[in-house]
Amino acid sequence: MRRLIYVLTAIMCLSAQAANACSFDGFPIPESLVDRLLKNNQIVLARPHPQEMLRFEITDTLEGAPGASKIPLTLADIERRRLIANPGDAVLFARTGFFGNWQRIGYVTDRHRGLFEQITDRLPDWRKGLAEDRASLFARYVADADPLVRTTALVELGRLPYATLRGLEHGTDAGRILDRLAVLPEHYLIPIRLQLIGLTKDRTVLGTLEDLLAEAVQANDPNVLHYATAYVELGGASAVHTLSEAYLTDHDLSLDTRRKVMEAVALHLREGDPRLRVMLQW
């Protein structure tokens, strides 16, 4: 059976290579905050204008030279009151060139400033393709207590190749990540959270993960690939054997579901633990 799994996986990847059938980044994720900022070269923080209460006033320039530019957007009263009550908060805006339209990027609390300043300091290098530290920067924030900081980091890491993700130190807790899988507004983060669960190497959650995988398979969940990937990362060769016995030979399952399980095995053969590749070879 191991030989069969190895051969079928290799055939699948080779035959579908042109179509990227084995790509791990084929799930929809929102444009990251960094990608939005990279498109602009003027980035500022703004607060309520002291004389005109429904207008913004630029208070800090993070990148570029906006000069005496005004932000022609109306400040909602509820946000104005929040900003006045929190002097360290601001709203982040960005635009391209002197004649571009200002775009609202998001509300920034005093707690967020440190991360945003680190991002804007690195933008010039990242635009040149010098982004070696981009992944490691956000890996430090995946377990941050602040939802915006945490989500920003997760979206960034969700864009990485699996091999790159495996090489990062992220200090996440498998149990806490499991608890977040059921948060409906954050469903788009399920793939990256599952990857991180596997990479915690916390085998105490292996049984729970196996149950979640079984539920996902029966429901033909689009995240079967990611459940199976995390399961193999934690369970190793024995997990591959379980997948082959429980799912790959079950012809009652849809071909698409079995293909996603196979893709998880293929991913580990290409980008996973080298010791696992050796164990699965004949």
Side-chain angles (χ1 to χ4, degrees), residues 155-215:
V155 170
E156 274 290 312
L157 296 190
R159 307 173 72 84
L160 297 176
Y162 192 65
T164 303
L165 191 64
R166 290 190 87 251
L168 295 175
E169 294 288 338
H170 45 74
T172 48
D173 178 87
R176 290 184 180 178
I177 304 175
L178 279 171
D179 291 340
R180 303 295 300 180
L181 293 179
V183 180
L184 290 179
E186 299 177 358
H187 67 280
Y188 62 94
L189 296 174
I190 288 177
I192 181 59
R193 282 183 164 141
L194 286 170
Q195 294 171 56
L196 292 174
I197 287 171
L199 295 173
T200 63
K201 300 299 185 182
D202 183 357
R203 290 177 59 86
T204 64
V205 302
L206 187 58
T208 300
L209 192 58
E210 185 172 2
D211 292 341
L212 291 173
L213 170 61
E215 293 174 7

Side-chain angles (χ1 to χ4, degrees), residues 32 34-35 38 118-119 121-140 156-157 159-161 164-165 168:
S32 77
V34 172
D35 287 334
L38 285 170
Q118 290 185 74
I119 292 172
D121 285 348
R122 291 167 168 80
L123 287 177
D125 285 341
W126 290 353
R127 290 194 185 97
K128 299 174 186 176
L130 306 175
E132 292 84 358
D133 63 341
R134 181 170 168 178
S136 58
L137 170 64
F138 289 100
R140 299 200 297 268
E156 274 290 312
L157 296 190
R159 307 173 72 84
L160 297 176
T164 303
L165 191 64
L168 295 175

Side-chain angles (χ1 to χ4, degrees), residues 254-265:
S254 70
L255 180 61
D256 182 60
T257 294
R258 284 182 284 153
R259 178 176 169 274
K260 287 173 182 172
V261 174
M262 183 66 78
E263 285 184 13
V265 179

Side-chain angles (χ1 to χ4, degrees), residues 23-24 221-230 260-261 263-265 267:
S23 174
F24 198 66
D221 190 310
N223 288 305
V224 164
L225 164 61
H226 310 294
Y227 281 103
T229 299
K260 287 173 182 172
V261 174
E263 285 184 13
V265 179
L267 178 72

